[in-house]
Amino acid sequence: MTEQPAQTTTAGDPATARGEQTRQLIRDTAMRLFRERGYAQTTMRAIAQEAGVAVGNAYYYFGSKDHLIQEFYAQSQVEHRAAAQPVLDREEAFGPRLAGVLHAGIDVLTPSHGFAATFFKTAAEPTSPLSPFSAESSGPRQAAIDLFGEVLTGSTAKVDAELRPQLPELLWLAYMGVILYWVHDRSPGQTKTRQLIDGAVPLIDRLVALSRLRVLRPVTRQVLDLIRTLRH
Amino acid sequence: MTEQPAQTTTAGDPATARGEQTRQLIRDTAMRLFRERGYAQTTMRAIAQEAGVAVGNAYYYFGSKDHLIQEFYAQSQVEHRAAAQPVLDREEAFGPRLAGVLHAGIDVLTPSHGFAATFFKTAAEPTSPLSPFSAESSGPRQAAIDLFGEVLTGSTAKVDAELRPQLPELLWLAYMGVILYWVHDRSPGQTKTRQLIDGAVPLIDRLVALSRLRVLRPVTRQVLDLIRTLRH
DNA sequence: CGCCCTTCTTGAACGTGTTCAACTACCGAT
DNA sequence: ATCGGTAGTTGAACACGTTCAAGAAGGGCG
């Protein structure tokens, strides 16, 4: 939080132009080694050596080994958005759109299941800037929430007016739940996670539809009030 | 997993009689320092020094620094059970019983909020034996699930026959969710978590009651089938 | 060209969790 | 009492993430 001189890029980021190349080199090398050996087995010394730089240089661009994970998150988010596009173009109904986007997220993550799982623990630490709930990762998080916003806006689903503004974030939360399950999923090819998505989506779909029923209005209200209370 | 000679205690535990004293000394010292300084700030060297033993001795009893956390879990579980007893004796209705037991759990954890939060990340790592889902912590986990079984069996609630056997584990899962929220709860005194409990319990109560309705039977079935599929 | 300032780079050094070969204390059997 | 083996204990050594003082590279300006 020291004051920075004027920069062309966002504050706090030391990357202007000269070092951008090195930054990417280190990042790509790290990602490769993470995939090859796993997170814990990849040492900062190994990353530096493979990238042909000094250890300290990696720390000039990334505050810690954990911060390299954030790069992985950001990268995954972008890939997720891209993989979801065909689904959003193709499907119109809420259920298939949601299922498609959830499956796309797992598709993107699947090649990294082995090592991604081991470092999702870091994301669970509340104090860590890597937590999906933290301010520091609000960028990727908002992008993800927006993606679920698109699932909703582009669909033909009729949603309770009060629920609608909350729903994208709730769907994102459900996605976090899916990921939590996926991380622990030891079934071959993580087929169980696929079953979770296919089983849960119709339930969510039905629940969203039911929220408009007059009889259930009080319950819907109650739930939404609770959520509003609990949000930050 | 080397074969052990006959022991008076459970297998795999090097504590017979002579070392039990040292074991407890190290454990208690560690717990005290964790509370005083936090988990990350407490070094194994500090624990050893304060306990008056060599560093390696701590590793004779506890495989790693993380394993000391498991002691904390076990201890908390026992305290939770004890704190829940008055509630189970006093309350008869399902809702108050559940709320009481959940509050009791948070009561027990509250003094450790500062440091407990930081190491719950370790619990989130799937490969870690410290995960609440792991085989290694099946003992405390089962004890916790049984506690929610008592919430149910001692209550006057009428529960769908198919749901009943699954419910204790589901309630435990909900409790894990409460803890996850609590860990991230930055509100003073974690009052938000209390609101979560008070807000969610009536919903769960209503949901459980509704599960017996004929109209909702197909949904109940669908949910239970999904859960059965996903369990292990 | 020479100067200065910022950006970038270096690698030795620090503190950490963890390991391990050596050692000591205890206890039952001879 | 002596021996032998297991349980318990030691602290130096190792590999790791991280820090930091020192320097190199680059570029704008006289």
Side-chain angles (χ1 to χ4, degrees):
Chain A
M1 308 310 175
T2 69
E3 49 182 332
Q4 297 273 350
Q7 300 258 138
T8 52
T9 55
T10 52
D13 225 336
T16 42
R18 221 160 29 106
E20 190 58 27
Q21 201 176 331
T22 313
R23 185 194 175 86
Q24 282 180 26
L25 174 63
I26 293 169
R27 192 197 55 171
D28 293 346
T29 308
M31 293 302 135
R32 180 170 60 80
L33 291 183
F34 285 168
R35 263 178 241 273
E36 284 176 14
R37 318 179 182 177
Y39 179 68
Q41 284 70 39
T42 303
T43 70
M44 289 301 282
R45 286 170 176 79
I47 294 171
Q49 188 176 346
E50 287 271 315
V53 299
V55 198
N57 203 3
Y59 281 91
Y60 180 76
Y61 292 101
F62 304 96
S64 71
K65 190 182 176 187
D66 283 356
H67 276 74
L68 282 164
I69 294 177
Q70 220 158 13
E71 294 296 307
F72 177 82
Y73 288 153
Q75 195 173 311
S76 298
Q77 161 55 25
V78 172
E79 286 179 41
H80 185 188
R81 183 63 190 79
Q85 192 56 52
V87 176
L88 296 177
D89 290 343
R90 184 188 345 122
E91 303 291 346
E92 292 199 331
F94 175 70
R97 283 172 76 85
L98 178 58
V101 168
L102 291 176
H103 278 300
I106 299 300
D107 287 344
V108 166
L109 255 26
T110 292
S112 320
H113 184 263
F115 87 96
T118 68
F119 72 47
F120 261 90
K121 66 162 182 182
T122 318
E125 188 180 19
T127 61
S128 162
L130 289 151
S131 162
F133 305 105
S134 80
E136 221 154 323
S137 57
S138 70
R141 178 178 67 238
Q142 196 52 54
I145 292 174
D146 288 347
L147 177 54
F148 288 103
E150 285 185 66
V151 167
L152 192 58
T153 56
S155 86
T156 55
K158 292 190 198 303
V159 183
D160 176 277
E162 253 189 299
L163 173 60
R164 192 171 248 281
Q166 309 274 348
L167 198 47
E169 194 165 346
L170 288 177
L171 294 176
W172 171 76
L173 211 57
Y175 177 51
M176 290 294 105
V178 170
I179 288 186
L180 184 62
Y181 185 86
W182 173 78
V183 159
H184 288 85
D185 189 352
R186 293 235 177 292
S187 66
Q190 293 86 50
T191 46
K192 285 278 174 70
T193 302
R194 304 302 184 158
Q195 290 178 281
L196 169 59
I197 294 174
D198 294 332
V201 164
L203 290 171
I204 295 174
D205 197 3
R206 196 185 301 205
L207 218 54
V208 168
L210 284 175
S211 71
R212 276 162 48 91
L213 274 189
R214 163 140 340 153
V215 209
L216 294 177
R217 208 54 197 284
V219 189
T220 308
R221 248 250 155 66
Q222 197 180 343
V223 172
L224 287 172
D225 281 348
L226 180 59
I227 290 167
R228 274 190 284 261
T229 307
L230 298 177
R231 286 181 26 125
H232 219 186
Chain B
M1 308 311 173
T2 67
E3 50 183 330
Q4 297 273 349
Q7 301 259 138
T8 52
T9 56
T10 52
D13 228 335
T16 42
R18 244 176 7 144
E20 189 58 28
Q21 202 175 331
T22 312
R23 184 194 175 86
Q24 282 179 24
L25 174 63
I26 293 169
R27 191 197 54 171
D28 293 346
T29 307
M31 293 300 133
R32 180 171 59 81
L33 292 183
F34 285 169
R35 262 178 242 271
E36 284 175 14
R37 318 179 181 178
Y39 180 68
Q41 284 69 41
T42 303
T43 69
M44 291 299 282
R45 284 169 177 81
I47 294 171
Q49 188 176 348
E50 288 271 316
V53 300
V55 199
N57 202 4
Y59 282 91
Y60 181 75
Y61 292 102
F62 304 97
S64 70
K65 190 183 176 186
D66 283 356
H67 275 75
L68 281 164
I69 295 177
Q70 219 158 14
E71 293 297 306
F72 177 83
Y73 288 153
Q75 196 172 308
S76 298
Q77 160 56 24
V78 172
E79 287 178 40
H80 185 188
R81 183 64 190 77
Q85 192 57 51
V87 176
L88 296 177
D89 290 343
R90 183 188 346 121
E91 304 292 347
E92 291 198 332
F94 175 70
R97 284 172 76 85
L98 178 58
V101 168
L102 291 177
H103 278 299
I106 299 299
D107 288 344
V108 166
L109 254 25
T110 292
S112 319
H113 184 262
F115 86 97
T118 68
F119 71 47
F120 261 89
K121 67 162 180 180
T122 318
E125 188 181 19
T127 60
S128 162
L130 288 150
S131 163
F133 305 105
S134 80
E136 219 154 325
S137 58
S138 70
R141 179 178 65 238
Q142 195 52 54
I145 293 174
D146 288 348
L147 177 55
F148 288 102
E150 285 185 66
V151 167
L152 192 59
T153 55
S155 86
T156 55
K158 293 191 199 305
V159 183
D160 176 278
E162 250 188 302
L163 174 59
R164 192 170 248 279
Q166 309 273 348
L167 197 48
E169 193 164 347
L170 288 176
L171 294 176
W172 171 77
L173 211 57
Y175 178 51
M176 291 293 105
V178 170
I179 289 187
L180 184 62
Y181 185 86
W182 175 79
V183 160
H184 287 84
D185 190 352
R186 294 235 176 290
S187 66
Q190 293 86 50
T191 46
K192 286 279 174 70
T193 302
R194 304 302 185 159
Q195 291 178 281
L196 169 60
I197 294 174
D198 294 333
V201 164
L203 291 172
I204 294 174
D205 198 2
R206 197 186 299 206
L207 217 56
V208 168
L210 284 176
S211 71
R212 275 161 47 92
L213 275 190
R214 165 145 332 156
V215 209
L216 295 177
R217 208 54 197 282
V219 190
T220 308
R221 249 250 156 63
Q222 198 180 343
V223 172
L224 287 171
D225 280 348
L226 179 58
I227 290 167
R228 275 190 283 262
T229 306
L230 298 178
R231 286 183 25 126
H232 220 183

